[in-house]
Amino acid sequence: MNLRRFAVGLSALLLFSGVADARGLLSFIAQPIEHELYGSSFSSGDALALYSKQQQQQTFDACAGSFPAARPFDLSKVQGSMRPLALCSDSFAVLYSQTTKTPLVVVERLTASTIKSAKGGERTNVFFPDPRIPKSGRAELIDYKGSSFDRGHQAPAGDAASPNAMAQSFSLSNMVPQDASNNRTTWSKVEADVRKFVLRADGDVFVFTGPIFDDGHRTIGASRVWVPTRLFKLVYDEKSQRAWAYILPNAETRIERPVDYAAFVKQTGLHLLSNLPISGSTR
């Protein structure tokens, strides 16, 4: 897929134009969770029980507060070819693609208080396919096995302020195939730097994280999970109205200085902060 066509198509659609209409309760029964869980066991019932009844609906109603001004993405304006779903968790919202079998954008609202609550939280390390997504549109654990790619969190486990939020962060709907060195070093440093900023911020900080698929991207597994060529993390400080972003290759790399919002839009075509006041960046 041509990156420009994908990015422009998505950017024109990802507008904060109100909460998407509720799509009703899931029309399918959660399938059994299968394959290895790296030392733990997790039934489909256990996985579904992590989510409230409202979170089990494919709508952003339960997590509108994760978005600036409580205005989620309007799914009706997202490219139909992406087969989008709205998924809510306790501490983040996911615009998910049943085509890429990954999130397109994951949104978090962070505060100094939530970061302090998350500090020292015990990682569950129990990855699981999201039972809210039909099997035809989701990644499975076996897709990652032997691929050489990590299951890379988009909303970091280190941001989870409760045990349930921590457990939810290990859903594959919050993952992309990520270069192991990138995930464990460079990207981990990006996540830590964002948390350090949030601790200094005077109010809500919204963080948008997602993959970019350039021409020639590959896939992994029988589910053909798309492998990003690049990753982005966009930070918006609501009170200061500053915004900046990291855009890094999905490879072993050095951390690069963040770019301002205008440069982010130019490089990705993604207008994720449409209609929001922006007065500067980190520099």
Side-chain angles (χ1 to χ4, degrees):
M1 176 179 288
N2 180 271
L3 171 65
R4 180 56 51 186
R5 184 163 61 249
F6 167 74
V8 170
L10 187 59
S11 66
L13 310 170
L14 294 183
L15 302 177
F16 294 113
S17 53
V19 177
D21 291 339
R23 297 177 177 236
L25 292 172
L26 300 183
S27 58
F28 61 94
I29 298 175
Q31 301 293 322
I33 292 180
E34 53 193 356
H35 310 307
E36 68 178 16
L37 285 166
Y38 306 94
S40 301
S41 61
F42 222 12
S43 71
S44 58
D46 289 337
L48 199 59
L50 292 173
Y51 303 97
S52 69
K53 291 296 185 182
Q54 195 173 20
Q55 289 171 349
Q56 291 175 33
Q57 299 181 28
Q58 296 170 345
T59 167
F60 286 130
D61 287 350
C63 54
S66 293
F67 296 83
R71 294 162 63 186
F73 303 131
D74 183 348
L75 264 67
S76 70
K77 296 182 179 181
V78 177
Q79 270 182 330
S81 63
M82 289 292 100
R83 298 166 62 206
L85 291 177
L87 299 173
C88 282
S89 294
D90 289 0
S91 58
F92 58 89
V94 179
L95 174 58
Y96 183 84
S97 170
Q98 297 177 86
T99 299
T100 68
K101 315 295 173 58
T102 69
L104 295 176
V105 186
V106 174
V107 189
E108 304 171 82
R109 184 183 70 181
L110 302 176
T111 65
S113 177
T114 59
I115 295 300
K116 290 174 183 175
S117 295
K119 189 175 181 179
E122 184 177 355
R123 288 173 63 95
T124 62
N125 289 319
V126 179
F127 295 83
F128 60 95
D130 195 320
R132 300 172 297 174
I133 303 170
K135 280 186 71 72
S136 63
R138 76 187 189 199
E140 302 289 343
L141 294 170
I142 197 67
D143 293 318
Y144 284 84
K145 186 176 181 181
S147 70
S148 81
F149 288 97
D150 278 2
R151 293 156 295 191
H153 283 69
Q154 300 299 276
D159 292 351
S162 72
N164 198 71
M166 171 68 75
Q168 290 175 342
S169 78
F170 283 86
S171 168
L172 294 186
S173 60
N174 183 42
M175 306 288 163
V176 300
Q178 190 166 358
D179 175 88
S181 175
N182 180 293
N183 182 40
R184 300 173 196 183
T185 57
T186 307
W187 200 250
S188 180
K189 177 66 163 56
V190 167
E191 293 171 343
D193 286 350
V194 171
R195 283 192 285 271
K196 288 177 183 177
F197 173 80
V198 175
L199 286 170
R200 301 192 305 267
D202 187 19
D204 292 338
V205 178
F206 294 88
V207 182
F208 300 75
T209 307
I212 298 172
F213 304 104
D214 292 295
D215 285 337
H217 73 82
R218 56 177 291 189
T219 64
I220 59 169
S223 303
R224 300 187 62 80
V225 181
W226 288 26
V227 179
T229 50
R230 293 180 288 162
L231 299 162
F232 70 82
K233 189 174 288 289
L234 170 66
V235 182
Y236 179 65
D237 182 351
E238 186 174 56
K239 185 161 187 178
S240 70
Q241 300 180 354
R242 292 186 295 161
W244 62 94
Y246 299 87
I247 306 172
L248 298 175
N250 186 16
E252 184 174 358
T253 187
R254 296 183 306 172
I255 193 167
E256 299 176 9
R257 294 187 66 184
V259 300
D260 63 22
Y261 182 63
F264 168 79
V265 172
K266 184 175 181 180
Q267 291 185 41
T268 67
L270 298 172
H271 295 266
L272 298 178
L273 300 180
S274 296
N275 303 320
L276 291 170
I278 299 171
S279 61
S281 69
T282 56
R283 290 171 291 177

